[in-house]
Short mmCIF file of all heavy atoms in Angstrom, two decimals:
data_model
loop_
_atom_site.label_atom_id
_atom_site.label_comp_id
_atom_site.label_asym_id
_atom_site.label_seq_id
_atom_site.Cartn_x
_atom_site.Cartn_y
_atom_site.Cartn_z
N TYR A 3 24.55 48.84 78.08
CA TYR A 3 24.89 50.27 78.34
C TYR A 3 24.56 50.75 79.71
O TYR A 3 25.37 51.38 80.37
CB TYR A 3 24.25 51.14 77.24
CG TYR A 3 24.43 52.60 77.59
CD1 TYR A 3 25.62 53.26 77.30
CD2 TYR A 3 23.41 53.33 78.24
CE1 TYR A 3 25.83 54.58 77.66
CE2 TYR A 3 23.63 54.66 78.60
CZ TYR A 3 24.81 55.25 78.30
OH TYR A 3 25.00 56.59 78.65
N PHE A 164 35.48 56.71 65.68
CA PHE A 164 34.69 57.82 66.24
C PHE A 164 35.59 58.66 67.15
O PHE A 164 36.52 58.18 67.81
CB PHE A 164 33.53 57.29 67.09
CG PHE A 164 32.58 56.45 66.25
CD1 PHE A 164 32.68 55.07 66.23
CD2 PHE A 164 31.61 57.07 65.47
CE1 PHE A 164 31.86 54.28 65.43
CE2 PHE A 164 30.76 56.30 64.66
CZ PHE A 164 30.87 54.92 64.66
N GLY A 165 35.23 59.96 67.22
CA GLY A 165 35.98 60.86 68.12
C GLY A 165 35.05 61.88 68.70
O GLY A 165 33.92 62.12 68.17
N ILE A 166 35.46 62.49 69.80
CA ILE A 166 34.65 63.47 70.49
C ILE A 166 35.52 64.70 70.75
O ILE A 166 36.68 64.54 71.14
CB ILE A 166 34.12 62.95 71.83
CG1 ILE A 166 33.16 61.79 71.62
CG2 ILE A 166 33.43 64.07 72.65
CD1 ILE A 166 32.71 61.14 72.91
N HIS A 167 34.95 65.89 70.58
CA HIS A 167 35.60 67.09 71.07
C HIS A 167 34.65 67.78 72.05
O HIS A 167 33.51 67.95 71.75
CB HIS A 167 35.97 68.05 69.94
CG HIS A 167 37.13 68.95 70.30
ND1 HIS A 167 37.11 69.82 71.31
CD2 HIS A 167 38.39 69.01 69.74
CE1 HIS A 167 38.31 70.46 71.41
NE2 HIS A 167 39.08 69.95 70.49
N LEU A 168 35.19 68.21 73.20
CA LEU A 168 34.39 68.98 74.13
C LEU A 168 34.25 70.42 73.61
O LEU A 168 35.16 70.91 72.97
CB LEU A 168 35.06 68.99 75.54
CG LEU A 168 35.15 67.63 76.23
CD1 LEU A 168 36.00 67.78 77.47
CD2 LEU A 168 33.77 67.14 76.57
N GLY A 169 33.14 71.06 73.88
CA GLY A 169 32.92 72.41 73.39
C GLY A 169 32.56 73.35 74.54
O GLY A 169 31.50 73.23 75.14
N GLU A 171 31.77 76.29 74.52
CA GLU A 171 30.71 77.26 74.18
C GLU A 171 29.36 76.61 73.93
O GLU A 171 28.38 77.27 73.62
CB GLU A 171 31.14 78.11 72.99
CG GLU A 171 32.31 79.02 73.34
CD GLU A 171 33.06 79.52 72.14
OE1 GLU A 171 33.82 78.76 71.51
OE2 GLU A 171 32.90 80.70 71.83
N GLN A 172 29.30 75.31 74.10
CA GLN A 172 28.04 74.57 73.88
C GLN A 172 27.44 74.10 75.20
O GLN A 172 28.15 73.82 76.18
CB GLN A 172 28.27 73.35 72.93
CG GLN A 172 28.32 73.70 71.48
CD GLN A 172 29.72 74.14 71.04
OE1 GLN A 172 30.69 73.61 71.53
NE2 GLN A 172 29.80 75.07 70.09
N GLU A 173 26.12 73.98 75.19
CA GLU A 173 25.35 73.67 76.40
C GLU A 173 25.85 72.39 77.06
O GLU A 173 26.05 71.36 76.42
CB GLU A 173 23.88 73.48 75.98
CG GLU A 173 22.97 73.32 77.16
CD GLU A 173 21.51 73.09 76.67
OE1 GLU A 173 21.13 73.58 75.59
OE2 GLU A 173 20.78 72.37 77.42
N LEU A 174 26.05 72.45 78.34
CA LEU A 174 26.60 71.37 79.14
C LEU A 174 25.85 70.06 78.89
O LEU A 174 24.64 70.01 79.07
CB LEU A 174 26.60 71.73 80.63
CG LEU A 174 27.22 70.67 81.54
CD1 LEU A 174 28.65 70.37 81.22
CD2 LEU A 174 27.04 71.09 83.01
N GLY A 175 26.61 69.06 78.51
CA GLY A 175 26.01 67.69 78.39
C GLY A 175 25.34 67.43 77.05
O GLY A 175 24.98 66.26 76.77
N LYS A 176 25.20 68.44 76.24
CA LYS A 176 24.49 68.21 74.96
C LYS A 176 25.45 67.49 74.01
O LYS A 176 26.63 67.80 73.90
CB LYS A 176 24.06 69.57 74.39
CG LYS A 176 23.07 69.38 73.27
CD LYS A 176 22.19 70.65 73.17
CE LYS A 176 20.74 70.32 73.35
NZ LYS A 176 19.86 71.43 73.04
N VAL A 177 24.86 66.50 73.29
CA VAL A 177 25.68 65.75 72.32
C VAL A 177 25.31 66.33 70.92
O VAL A 177 24.16 66.28 70.50
CB VAL A 177 25.35 64.25 72.36
CG1 VAL A 177 26.20 63.46 71.37
CG2 VAL A 177 25.54 63.71 73.79
N LEU A 178 26.32 66.86 70.24
CA LEU A 178 26.10 67.51 68.96
C LEU A 178 26.64 66.67 67.83
O LEU A 178 27.82 66.25 67.87
CB LEU A 178 26.76 68.90 69.00
CG LEU A 178 26.38 69.77 70.21
CD1 LEU A 178 27.38 70.87 70.38
CD2 LEU A 178 25.01 70.30 70.03
N TYR A 179 25.83 66.39 66.83
CA TYR A 179 26.29 65.60 65.67
C TYR A 179 26.02 66.36 64.44
O TYR A 179 25.25 67.31 64.44
CB TYR A 179 25.57 64.27 65.67
CG TYR A 179 24.07 64.38 65.55
CD1 TYR A 179 23.42 64.37 64.31
CD2 TYR A 179 23.26 64.52 66.70
CE1 TYR A 179 22.05 64.50 64.20
CE2 TYR A 179 21.87 64.67 66.59
CZ TYR A 179 21.30 64.64 65.38
OH TYR A 179 19.93 64.78 65.27
N ASN A 180 26.69 65.96 63.37
CA ASN A 180 26.58 66.70 62.15
C ASN A 180 26.79 65.77 60.97
O ASN A 180 27.62 64.87 61.03
CB ASN A 180 27.61 67.85 62.27
CG ASN A 180 28.40 68.16 61.03
OD1 ASN A 180 29.37 67.44 60.76
ND2 ASN A 180 28.00 69.13 60.32
N TYR A 181 25.97 65.93 59.96
CA TYR A 181 26.08 65.17 58.74
C TYR A 181 27.12 65.82 57.83
O TYR A 181 27.27 67.02 57.85
CB TYR A 181 24.73 65.09 58.02
CG TYR A 181 23.70 64.25 58.80
CD1 TYR A 181 22.82 64.86 59.69
CD2 TYR A 181 23.63 62.85 58.62
CE1 TYR A 181 21.91 64.09 60.37
CE2 TYR A 181 22.73 62.10 59.34
CZ TYR A 181 21.86 62.73 60.19
OH TYR A 181 20.94 61.97 60.92
N GLU A 310 26.44 56.28 59.54
CA GLU A 310 26.89 56.10 60.94
C GLU A 310 26.28 57.14 61.86
O GLU A 310 25.91 56.84 63.00
CB GLU A 310 28.44 56.13 61.05
CG GLU A 310 29.17 55.20 60.08
CD GLU A 310 28.58 53.84 59.92
OE1 GLU A 310 28.13 53.24 60.93
OE2 GLU A 310 28.54 53.37 58.77
N VAL A 311 26.16 58.38 61.35
CA VAL A 311 25.58 59.41 62.14
C VAL A 311 24.10 59.07 62.48
O VAL A 311 23.68 59.24 63.60
CB VAL A 311 25.67 60.80 61.44
CG1 VAL A 311 24.91 61.89 62.22
CG2 VAL A 311 27.12 61.22 61.25
N ASN A 312 23.43 58.55 61.47
CA ASN A 312 22.03 58.12 61.67
C ASN A 312 21.93 57.06 62.78
O ASN A 312 21.06 57.08 63.65
CB ASN A 312 21.48 57.58 60.37
CG ASN A 312 20.65 58.63 59.65
OD1 ASN A 312 20.09 59.49 60.28
ND2 ASN A 312 20.58 58.50 58.37
N LYS A 313 22.85 56.06 62.63
CA LYS A 313 22.84 54.98 63.62
C LYS A 313 23.06 55.48 65.03
O LYS A 313 22.34 55.11 65.95
CB LYS A 313 23.98 54.00 63.23
CG LYS A 313 23.63 52.54 63.55
CD LYS A 313 24.80 51.66 63.20
CE LYS A 313 24.90 51.29 61.69
NZ LYS A 313 26.05 50.42 61.42
N LEU A 314 24.00 56.42 65.16
CA LEU A 314 24.31 56.97 66.45
C LEU A 314 23.16 57.78 67.01
O LEU A 314 22.81 57.76 68.17
CB LEU A 314 25.57 57.82 66.42
CG LEU A 314 26.89 57.10 66.20
CD1 LEU A 314 28.05 58.05 66.29
CD2 LEU A 314 27.05 55.96 67.20
N LYS A 315 22.55 58.58 66.08
CA LYS A 315 21.44 59.41 66.49
C LYS A 315 20.32 58.57 67.12
O LYS A 315 19.79 58.88 68.20
CB LYS A 315 20.91 60.18 65.28
CG LYS A 315 19.80 61.12 65.56
CD LYS A 315 19.25 61.70 64.27
CE LYS A 315 17.83 62.13 64.45
NZ LYS A 315 17.16 62.48 63.20
N GLU A 316 19.98 57.46 66.44
CA GLU A 316 18.96 56.53 66.96
C GLU A 316 19.38 55.98 68.31
O GLU A 316 18.56 55.88 69.23
CB GLU A 316 18.72 55.40 65.96
CG GLU A 316 18.06 55.84 64.62
CD GLU A 316 16.78 56.60 64.85
OE1 GLU A 316 16.00 56.21 65.72
OE2 GLU A 316 16.63 57.69 64.19
N LYS A 317 20.62 55.60 68.42
CA LYS A 317 21.13 55.05 69.70
C LYS A 317 21.01 56.08 70.80
O LYS A 317 20.55 55.80 71.87
CB LYS A 317 22.59 54.62 69.50
CG LYS A 317 23.24 54.05 70.77
CD LYS A 317 22.58 52.72 71.11
CE LYS A 317 23.25 52.08 72.32
NZ LYS A 317 22.64 50.76 72.62
N PHE A 318 21.53 57.30 70.51
CA PHE A 318 21.50 58.33 71.57
C PHE A 318 20.06 58.65 72.01
O PHE A 318 19.85 58.95 73.19
CB PHE A 318 22.17 59.62 71.03
CG PHE A 318 23.65 59.46 70.73
CD1 PHE A 318 24.28 60.30 69.82
CD2 PHE A 318 24.41 58.48 71.39
CE1 PHE A 318 25.63 60.18 69.58
CE2 PHE A 318 25.77 58.35 71.12
CZ PHE A 318 26.36 59.17 70.21
N LEU A 319 19.14 58.52 71.07
CA LEU A 319 17.73 58.80 71.45
C LEU A 319 17.22 57.77 72.48
O LEU A 319 16.34 58.10 73.27
CB LEU A 319 16.83 58.75 70.20
CG LEU A 319 16.82 60.04 69.38
CD1 LEU A 319 16.05 59.83 68.06
CD2 LEU A 319 16.20 61.22 70.16
N THR A 320 17.82 56.57 72.45
CA THR A 320 17.40 55.54 73.42
C THR A 320 18.11 55.73 74.78
O THR A 320 17.56 55.26 75.74
CB THR A 320 17.65 54.11 72.91
OG1 THR A 320 19.06 53.88 72.86
CG2 THR A 320 17.02 53.89 71.53
N VAL A 321 19.26 56.36 74.81
CA VAL A 321 19.96 56.46 76.10
C VAL A 321 20.02 57.85 76.67
O VAL A 321 20.24 58.04 77.88
CB VAL A 321 21.40 55.86 76.00
CG1 VAL A 321 21.37 54.38 75.67
CG2 VAL A 321 22.27 56.63 74.99
N PHE A 322 19.85 58.86 75.85
CA PHE A 322 19.79 60.28 76.38
C PHE A 322 18.42 60.83 76.07
O PHE A 322 17.65 60.28 75.30
CB PHE A 322 20.87 61.16 75.68
CG PHE A 322 22.26 60.60 75.76
CD1 PHE A 322 23.03 60.49 74.61
CD2 PHE A 322 22.80 60.23 76.98
CE1 PHE A 322 24.37 60.00 74.66
CE2 PHE A 322 24.10 59.69 77.06
CZ PHE A 322 24.87 59.56 75.89
N GLY A 323 18.13 61.96 76.65
CA GLY A 323 16.84 62.63 76.39
C GLY A 323 16.87 63.26 75.02
O GLY A 323 17.96 63.55 74.48
N GLU A 324 15.68 63.41 74.43
CA GLU A 324 15.61 64.00 73.07
C GLU A 324 16.21 65.39 73.02
O GLU A 324 16.84 65.80 72.03
CB GLU A 324 14.15 64.07 72.67
CG GLU A 324 13.99 64.12 71.14
CD GLU A 324 12.52 64.06 70.74
OE1 GLU A 324 11.73 63.46 71.47
OE2 GLU A 324 12.20 64.65 69.70
N ASP A 325 16.09 66.13 74.14
CA ASP A 325 16.62 67.49 74.18
C ASP A 325 18.11 67.52 74.55
O ASP A 325 18.70 68.57 74.66
CB ASP A 325 15.85 68.35 75.21
CG ASP A 325 15.89 67.74 76.61
OD1 ASP A 325 16.22 66.53 76.71
OD2 ASP A 325 15.56 68.45 77.58
N GLU A 326 18.70 66.33 74.68
CA GLU A 326 20.14 66.25 75.02
C GLU A 326 21.00 66.02 73.75
O GLU A 326 22.20 65.90 73.85
CB GLU A 326 20.41 65.13 76.04
CG GLU A 326 19.84 65.51 77.42
CD GLU A 326 20.04 64.39 78.39
OE1 GLU A 326 19.52 63.28 78.21
OE2 GLU A 326 20.78 64.64 79.38
N ILE A 327 20.35 65.85 72.63
CA ILE A 327 21.09 65.68 71.40
C ILE A 327 20.63 66.69 70.38
O ILE A 327 19.46 67.16 70.44
CB ILE A 327 21.02 64.24 70.80
CG1 ILE A 327 19.60 63.96 70.27
CG2 ILE A 327 21.40 63.19 71.83
CD1 ILE A 327 19.51 62.69 69.46
N GLU A 328 21.54 67.13 69.50
CA GLU A 328 21.14 68.18 68.52
C GLU A 328 22.01 68.09 67.28
O GLU A 328 23.23 67.90 67.35
CB GLU A 328 21.34 69.54 69.22
CG GLU A 328 20.85 70.67 68.38
CD GLU A 328 21.12 72.05 69.03
OE1 GLU A 328 21.33 72.11 70.26
OE2 GLU A 328 21.22 73.02 68.23
N GLU A 329 21.36 68.21 66.13
CA GLU A 329 22.10 68.28 64.89
C GLU A 329 22.62 69.71 64.69
O GLU A 329 21.89 70.70 64.91
CB GLU A 329 21.22 67.92 63.70
CG GLU A 329 21.97 67.89 62.42
CD GLU A 329 21.07 67.67 61.18
OE1 GLU A 329 19.95 67.24 61.33
OE2 GLU A 329 21.57 67.99 60.09
N VAL A 330 23.91 69.82 64.35
CA VAL A 330 24.49 71.18 64.13
C VAL A 330 25.15 71.25 62.75
O VAL A 330 25.40 70.22 62.10
CB VAL A 330 25.54 71.47 65.23
CG1 VAL A 330 24.87 71.65 66.56
CG2 VAL A 330 26.62 70.41 65.31
N GLU A 331 25.45 72.47 62.35
CA GLU A 331 26.19 72.72 61.11
C GLU A 331 27.68 72.47 61.41
O GLU A 331 28.08 72.53 62.54
CB GLU A 331 26.02 74.19 60.70
CG GLU A 331 24.64 74.62 60.37
CD GLU A 331 24.15 74.04 59.03
OE1 GLU A 331 25.04 73.90 58.12
OE2 GLU A 331 23.00 73.71 58.87
N ALA A 349 32.33 58.99 62.63
CA ALA A 349 31.83 60.37 62.87
C ALA A 349 32.62 61.05 63.98
O ALA A 349 33.23 60.38 64.82
CB ALA A 349 30.36 60.32 63.26
N PHE A 350 32.61 62.34 63.94
CA PHE A 350 33.21 63.18 64.95
C PHE A 350 32.11 63.97 65.62
O PHE A 350 31.33 64.63 64.96
CB PHE A 350 34.24 64.12 64.29
CG PHE A 350 35.13 64.82 65.24
CD1 PHE A 350 36.00 64.10 66.07
CD2 PHE A 350 35.16 66.22 65.37
CE1 PHE A 350 36.85 64.73 66.94
CE2 PHE A 350 36.00 66.85 66.23
CZ PHE A 350 36.87 66.11 67.03
N LEU A 351 32.01 63.83 66.92
CA LEU A 351 30.96 64.45 67.67
C LEU A 351 31.46 65.51 68.63
O LEU A 351 32.64 65.54 68.94
CB LEU A 351 30.24 63.37 68.54
CG LEU A 351 29.76 62.13 67.72
CD1 LEU A 351 29.60 60.95 68.71
CD2 LEU A 351 28.45 62.46 67.05
N ARG A 352 30.57 66.38 69.08
CA ARG A 352 30.93 67.36 70.08
C ARG A 352 30.04 67.13 71.30
O ARG A 352 28.85 66.75 71.21
CB ARG A 352 30.70 68.78 69.59
CG ARG A 352 31.82 69.16 68.72
CD ARG A 352 31.81 70.58 68.22
NE ARG A 352 32.89 70.75 67.29
CZ ARG A 352 34.08 71.15 67.61
NH1 ARG A 352 34.37 71.48 68.88
NH2 ARG A 352 35.04 71.20 66.73
N VAL A 353 30.61 67.41 72.45
CA VAL A 353 29.88 67.35 73.71
C VAL A 353 30.02 68.71 74.42
O VAL A 353 31.15 69.18 74.64
CB VAL A 353 30.37 66.19 74.61
CG1 VAL A 353 29.81 66.32 76.02
CG2 VAL A 353 30.04 64.86 74.00
N GLY A 354 28.85 69.30 74.75
CA GLY A 354 28.88 70.62 75.38
C GLY A 354 29.52 70.62 76.77
O GLY A 354 29.25 69.67 77.54
N ALA A 355 30.31 71.65 77.06
CA ALA A 355 31.03 71.69 78.35
C ALA A 355 30.96 73.08 79.00
O ALA A 355 31.83 73.45 79.77
CB ALA A 355 32.50 71.30 78.14
N LYS A 356 29.90 73.86 78.65
CA LYS A 356 29.80 75.24 79.14
C LYS A 356 29.21 75.25 80.55
O LYS A 356 28.31 74.48 80.86
CB LYS A 356 28.86 75.98 78.20
CG LYS A 356 28.74 77.47 78.45
CD LYS A 356 27.90 78.13 77.38
CE LYS A 356 26.41 78.18 77.79
NZ LYS A 356 26.10 79.02 78.94
N GLN A 376 31.48 68.01 84.40
CA GLN A 376 30.37 67.11 84.18
C GLN A 376 30.36 66.63 82.73
O GLN A 376 29.83 65.52 82.42
CB GLN A 376 29.07 67.83 84.51
CG GLN A 376 27.90 66.89 84.88
CD GLN A 376 28.17 66.11 86.20
OE1 GLN A 376 28.81 66.60 87.08
NE2 GLN A 376 27.67 64.92 86.24
N SER A 377 30.95 67.38 81.86
CA SER A 377 31.01 67.00 80.43
C SER A 377 31.84 65.71 80.23
O SER A 377 31.67 65.01 79.23
CB SER A 377 31.61 68.13 79.60
OG SER A 377 32.95 68.39 79.98
N LEU A 378 32.77 65.45 81.16
CA LEU A 378 33.61 64.28 81.01
C LEU A 378 32.74 63.01 81.17
O LEU A 378 32.97 61.99 80.53
CB LEU A 378 34.72 64.21 82.10
CG LEU A 378 35.60 65.45 82.22
CD1 LEU A 378 36.69 65.17 83.20
CD2 LEU A 378 36.21 65.76 80.86
N LEU A 379 31.77 63.11 82.06
CA LEU A 379 30.87 61.96 82.30
C LEU A 379 30.05 61.73 81.01
O LEU A 379 29.95 60.59 80.50
CB LEU A 379 29.94 62.23 83.47
CG LEU A 379 28.99 61.09 83.84
CD1 LEU A 379 29.80 59.87 84.30
CD2 LEU A 379 28.08 61.55 85.01
N ARG A 380 29.56 62.82 80.44
CA ARG A 380 28.76 62.70 79.21
C ARG A 380 29.59 62.11 78.06
O ARG A 380 29.16 61.24 77.32
CB ARG A 380 28.12 64.04 78.87
CG ARG A 380 27.29 64.08 77.57
CD ARG A 380 26.30 62.96 77.39
NE ARG A 380 25.42 62.63 78.50
CZ ARG A 380 24.23 63.13 78.67
NH1 ARG A 380 23.71 63.96 77.81
NH2 ARG A 380 23.48 62.76 79.71
N SER A 381 30.82 62.60 77.90
CA SER A 381 31.59 62.07 76.76
C SER A 381 32.00 60.61 76.98
O SER A 381 32.02 59.81 76.07
CB SER A 381 32.79 62.96 76.42
OG SER A 381 33.62 63.09 77.49
N GLY A 382 32.19 60.22 78.25
CA GLY A 382 32.42 58.81 78.58
C GLY A 382 31.19 58.00 78.20
O GLY A 382 31.29 56.89 77.66
N GLU A 383 29.99 58.53 78.52
CA GLU A 383 28.74 57.85 78.18
C GLU A 383 28.59 57.69 76.69
O GLU A 383 28.13 56.64 76.20
CB GLU A 383 27.56 58.63 78.76
CG GLU A 383 27.43 58.57 80.24
CD GLU A 383 26.39 59.57 80.81
OE1 GLU A 383 25.97 60.51 80.06
OE2 GLU A 383 26.03 59.44 81.97
N VAL A 384 29.00 58.72 75.95
CA VAL A 384 28.89 58.68 74.49
C VAL A 384 29.79 57.52 73.97
O VAL A 384 29.36 56.74 73.14
CB VAL A 384 29.24 60.00 73.83
CG1 VAL A 384 29.37 59.89 72.32
CG2 VAL A 384 28.20 61.06 74.21
N PHE A 385 31.01 57.47 74.47
CA PHE A 385 31.91 56.36 74.02
C PHE A 385 31.27 55.00 74.32
O PHE A 385 31.31 54.12 73.47
CB PHE A 385 33.27 56.46 74.74
CG PHE A 385 34.21 57.52 74.19
CD1 PHE A 385 34.88 58.37 75.03
CD2 PHE A 385 34.43 57.64 72.85
CE1 PHE A 385 35.77 59.35 74.52
CE2 PHE A 385 35.32 58.56 72.30
CZ PHE A 385 35.97 59.44 73.17
N LEU A 386 30.72 54.87 75.51
CA LEU A 386 30.15 53.57 75.89
C LEU A 386 28.88 53.26 75.02
O LEU A 386 28.68 52.11 74.66
CB LEU A 386 29.72 53.55 77.39
CG LEU A 386 30.89 53.62 78.38
CD1 LEU A 386 30.39 53.60 79.80
CD2 LEU A 386 31.88 52.48 78.15
N ALA A 387 28.10 54.28 74.74
CA ALA A 387 26.90 54.05 73.90
C ALA A 387 27.33 53.64 72.48
O ALA A 387 26.68 52.73 71.89
CB ALA A 387 26.10 55.34 73.83
N ILE A 388 28.41 54.19 71.97
CA ILE A 388 28.86 53.81 70.63
C ILE A 388 29.29 52.35 70.63
O ILE A 388 28.90 51.56 69.76
CB ILE A 388 30.07 54.71 70.18
CG1 ILE A 388 29.60 56.17 69.99
CG2 ILE A 388 30.73 54.15 68.93
CD1 ILE A 388 30.72 57.16 69.79
#
Side-chain angles (χ1 to χ4, degrees):
Y3 173 79
F164 300 96
I166 294 175
H167 207 299
L168 295 172
E171 292 162 284
Q172 279 86 33
E173 187 184 330
L174 181 60
K176 195 153 239 191
V177 182
L178 309 162
Y179 59 93
N180 138 280
Y181 291 93
E310 309 318 319
V311 174
N312 262 332
K313 213 182 279 180
L314 291 186
K315 182 187 156 190
E316 293 306 317
K317 179 68 176 182
F318 295 156
L319 279 172
T320 68
V321 297
F322 306 130
E324 201 175 331
D325 58 344
E326 291 178 296
I327 69 169
E328 187 184 337
E329 183 186 342
V330 291
E331 297 287 326
F350 192 62
L351 305 158
R352 282 184 185 269
V353 168
K356 188 175 91 66
Q376 203 64 33
S377 63
L378 307 185
L379 184 61
R380 178 46 50 93
S381 58
E383 288 169 346
V384 171
F385 282 133
L386 293 181
I388 293 170

